[in-house]
Amino acid sequence: MNKYTLVALSVTGGLLSGLAWTDWCTGLILLISFIPFYILEDHIFNNRKRYSPNAFFIYLLPGFVIFSLTTLGWMRVASMAGAISVILGLSFLMAFTMWLAHLVRLKGGNIAGLISFIVFWLAFELISLNVSIITPWLNLGNGLSKDIMFIQWYEVTGTAGGSLWILLSNLILARFIISNKRKNLMIILWLILVLVPSAISIKRYITIKTSENDASEVVIIQPNIDPYSEKFVIPFETQLEKVISMAGNAASENTSWIVTPETTVDDPVNLDDLDNNLYIRRIRDLAAKKPQICVITGLVSYKLYPPSEMPPTKSARKTGTSEDYYDHFNSAFRIDTGKIIEVYHKSKLVPGIEMQFSTGPGRMIARILPYLGGTRWGYGMQDERINFNHPLLLYSIAPVICYESVFGSYVTDYVRKGAKALFIITNDGWWKSTDGYKQHLSFASLRAIETRRPVIRSANTGISCIIDIRGKRIAESDWWTQEVLKGSFIPENRITPYVKYGDYILRISLLISILIILINFVAMPIRRKVR
């Protein structure tokens, strides 16, 4: 192969992988999309006298840039510079992960290398879920979010099982193409690998049943306020009155929940003086008309820390020239006619947008990314997940705010604490009519499957929906319309293996990865020196 063929292989792998996140193609294409990458690696490995150890990384990087650009190109709507930074950063990390596995193959041989291609990638996905400056948006298991009939077994493995499935499928097919040995065995293994989980999943999709709990009626508000031209121009009181009017007209005597989007009001509410806040009082007036209703809404809030309460949190900032500190929060509120108002603060923050960085590379990122509600001050977080309780129905729901719905293991914390349904409040209007809001919407189906919890999703500009425990949207609004969605859901009690054990596949992969690195890059060189 010449260098143009190697670049073509890389670009082909990137294009095929990126298609999985678009409307143009099924996510199942991921089962073959990495084959060009593996063929590229095998050629360089078998001709290692011609190529330097870094050659694989150099040829691989364009493919992952194409992959990231295809899937995350929609970020350009908000910031071209920010999109370029994220796309190049993720591309580098993904290429580095595969290149590191290539180095292991060079040092440790075929078996160690081929295992590394799987476990190193899964370890990278674990890191992306736990290091705030990296996003798990492109974790491979997410690419199957449109193909819910084939991934019902996510209730056991989470999206990590999908990533493992994809990596194994590609590796077996690549070896089938490359090698002249045991071709029949490899194609049989691949068919078993693909068909058995698919058959099990389809059967589960058809046969799974909801619990016998009573259904609850919910009213979902989609006010459709443009975050660019209206959100910070129209008075916040006027915006809230619009939401309250829509909710009041739709709610009935059977309605148990009203759900409104993230940052329904972006005028910060003082957490130490909720009873006297204008917005809280107006929402309580709505609840008073139908006392059986709980309102779940998104408000920005703040807390002051006087000098006597020092030291403040890491996210606290000084209030001008005074010695007081304050925190702002992107919060979900549960409000009814009772005295207790439950509040949860969003804790998986968008890096550089909702989370401020004061040192290191993060400081540069913070300067590049635009204001999307938060960067003027940065948001604080809370350490523990909490659920919101309905005082009459005696069950609780999970208040999941926007970006948090991308993190499967994070959402399981709510369920382990007793949440019977997932309420996602979001504002996807920042990304306009691009693949961004569609991808975010599809990830909600993954959370439904993993936890076997119904999902109630309120989005400012759409798409708002009700998702059943199979991950299927059973009712949904249109995009970029003012709309009220009314329906019902059944609270669920079951605990799935994934809720119980979390990302065990990723944790095991990280452990194996560490062992492989220690053996090949530490123990083996020491052993050679001793000899």
Side-chain angles (χ1 to χ4, degrees), residues 210-216 420-421 453-454 469 488-492:
T210 57
S211 72
E212 297 181 358
N213 295 329
D214 293 334
S216 297
K420 309 303 181 188
R453 291 293 184 272
I469 60 173
S488 62
F489 66 94
I490 297 176
E492 288 288 340

Side-chain angles (χ1 to χ4, degrees), residues 461-478:
T461 51
I463 291 176
S464 302
C465 60
I466 299 173
I467 302 174
D468 68 15
I469 60 173
R470 299 173 298 169
K472 182 180 179 180
R473 300 199 294 271
I474 56 176
E476 63 182 291
S477 67
D478 291 324

Side-chain angles (χ1 to χ4, degrees), residues 152 155-156 204-213 396 411-412 414-422 447-454 468-471 490-500:
Q152 294 297 305
E155 66 179 332
V156 177
R204 183 70 167 152
Y205 180 89
I206 295 171
T207 60
I208 191 171
K209 299 184 183 299
T210 57
S211 72
E212 297 181 358
N213 295 329
S396 62
V411 172
T412 63
Y414 296 102
V415 179
R416 284 193 292 270
K417 290 178 180 291
K420 309 303 181 188
L422 309 179
R447 307 292 84 85
I449 296 168
E450 290 169 342
T451 63
R452 294 304 183 192
R453 291 293 184 272
D468 68 15
I469 60 173
R470 299 173 298 169
I490 297 176
E492 288 288 340
N493 302 315
R494 72 190 83 190
I495 297 296
T496 65
Y498 180 67
V499 169
K500 189 173 182 180

Side-chain angles (χ1 to χ4, degrees), residues 339-455:
K339 294 182 178 180
I340 297 176
I341 297 175
E342 293 181 314
V343 184
Y344 165 71
H345 304 310
K346 182 179 181 181
S347 299
K348 281 291 187 183
L349 303 177
V350 180
I353 296 176
E354 297 176 319
M355 179 187 297
Q356 282 192 345
F357 300 100
S358 58
T359 59
R363 190 171 186 176
M364 180 186 70
I365 293 174
R367 290 178 178 176
I368 293 173
L369 292 178
Y371 170 63
L372 296 182
T375 45
R376 290 178 300 181
W377 45 57
Y379 286 134
M381 300 177 286
Q382 67 181 62
D383 294 331
E384 297 290 331
R385 310 290 73 71
I386 65 168
N387 294 323
F388 289 168
N389 301 288
H390 196 295
L392 298 179
L393 300 179
L394 302 180
Y395 68 81
S396 62
I397 61 93
V400 183
I401 305 176
C402 192
Y403 187 54
E404 293 179 330
S405 64
V406 181
F407 297 80
S409 58
Y410 184 88
V411 172
T412 63
D413 285 347
Y414 296 102
V415 179
R416 284 193 292 270
K417 290 178 180 291
K420 309 303 181 188
L422 309 179
F423 282 29
I424 298 174
I425 60 174
T426 187
N427 181 4
D428 292 339
W430 295 111
W431 315 116
K432 296 188 178 291
S433 186
T434 66
D435 284 339
Y437 83 86
K438 299 174 186 177
Q439 292 166 8
H440 192 209
L441 168 66
S442 68
F443 294 163
S445 292
L446 301 178
R447 307 292 84 85
I449 296 168
E450 290 169 342
T451 63
R452 294 304 183 192
R453 291 293 184 272
V455 173

Side-chain angles (χ1 to χ4, degrees), residues 11-295:
V11 170
T12 301
L15 286 172
L16 292 176
S17 299
L19 284 173
W21 271 260
T22 69
D23 285 341
W24 310 333
C25 187
T26 171
L28 295 174
I29 195 173
L30 287 169
L31 293 171
I32 63 169
S33 66
F34 270 37
I35 292 175
F37 295 146
Y38 289 137
I39 293 175
L40 169 62
E41 189 279 333
D42 192 74
H43 173 77
I44 292 177
F45 174 78
N46 288 326
N47 295 274
R48 47 193 176 276
K49 292 182 179 180
R50 285 177 50 197
Y51 298 98
S52 74
N54 300 328
F56 180 53
F57 177 84
I58 294 169
Y59 282 111
L60 194 61
L61 187 58
F64 280 114
V65 170
I66 295 294
F67 176 23
S68 301
L69 182 63
T70 305
T71 53
L72 294 177
W74 48 266
M75 292 184 64
R76 71 190 184 280
V77 172
S79 168
M80 182 62 73
I84 291 171
S85 299
V86 173
I87 287 167
L88 291 181
L90 280 176
S91 301
F92 179 90
L93 290 172
M94 290 187 288
F96 176 83
T97 300
M98 291 195 73
W99 171 71
L100 190 60
H102 173 67
L103 293 186
V104 169
R105 191 179 179 198
L106 289 173
K107 287 179 176 291
N110 284 333
I111 294 178
L114 296 179
I115 292 173
S116 296
F117 279 112
I118 294 173
V119 297
F120 283 9
W121 188 279
L122 295 175
F124 163 70
E125 291 196 354
L126 180 64
I127 292 170
S128 74
L129 288 163
N130 291 280
V131 175
S132 58
I133 203 171
I134 308 173
T135 178
W137 201 277
L138 299 189
N139 286 5
L140 296 179
N142 291 338
L144 301 175
S145 59
K146 304 188 300 291
D147 305 282
I148 58 173
M149 188 174 291
F150 294 91
I151 56 170
Q152 294 297 305
W153 40 271
Y154 274 20
E155 66 179 332
V156 177
T157 68
T159 57
S163 298
L164 178 59
W165 194 42
I166 290 164
L167 292 167
L168 285 172
S169 170
N170 280 276
L171 195 57
I172 291 172
L173 281 180
R175 300 312 298 173
F176 171 79
I177 294 169
I178 293 164
S179 176
N180 291 319
K181 299 177 181 179
R182 300 179 180 177
K183 282 187 172 288
N184 290 338
L185 176 61
M186 282 187 282
I187 199 64
I188 290 171
L189 285 176
W190 183 80
L191 288 172
I192 292 172
L193 175 71
V194 172
L195 296 179
V196 171
S198 298
I200 293 172
S201 180
I202 292 170
K203 180 179 178 182
R204 183 70 167 152
Y205 180 89
I206 295 171
T207 60
I208 191 171
K209 299 184 183 299
T210 57
S211 72
E212 297 181 358
N213 295 329
D214 293 334
S216 297
E217 186 175 276
V218 61
V219 169
I220 304 170
I221 306 302
Q222 182 173 298
N224 198 46
I225 297 171
D226 191 317
Y228 288 100
S229 62
E230 297 177 327
K231 186 67 176 175
F232 302 100
V233 176
I234 299 173
F236 291 117
E237 187 174 354
T238 303
Q239 294 180 40
L240 181 61
E241 288 301 325
K242 176 181 181 180
V243 169
I244 288 173
S245 175
M246 294 170 67
N249 292 333
S252 70
E253 297 302 320
N254 296 320
T255 304
S256 300
W257 302 93
I258 292 174
V259 189
T260 78
E262 175 190 27
T263 60
T264 296
V265 175
D266 210 328
D267 186 11
V269 172
N270 187 349
L271 290 168
D272 294 320
D273 191 26
L274 295 179
D275 290 336
N276 294 318
N277 182 268
L278 170 66
Y279 307 119
I280 300 293
R281 292 203 307 267
R282 288 295 296 116
I283 295 171
R284 273 184 161 160
D285 290 343
L286 169 65
K289 295 177 181 178
K290 302 215 168 32
Q292 82 281 6
I293 287 176
C294 281
V295 180

Side-chain angles (χ1 to χ4, degrees), residues 495-514:
I495 297 296
T496 65
Y498 180 67
V499 169
K500 189 173 182 180
Y501 300 111
D503 286 318
Y504 59 92
I505 292 176
L506 301 184
R507 293 194 297 271
I508 292 170
S509 297
L510 179 62
L511 178 60
I512 296 172
S513 298
I514 292 171

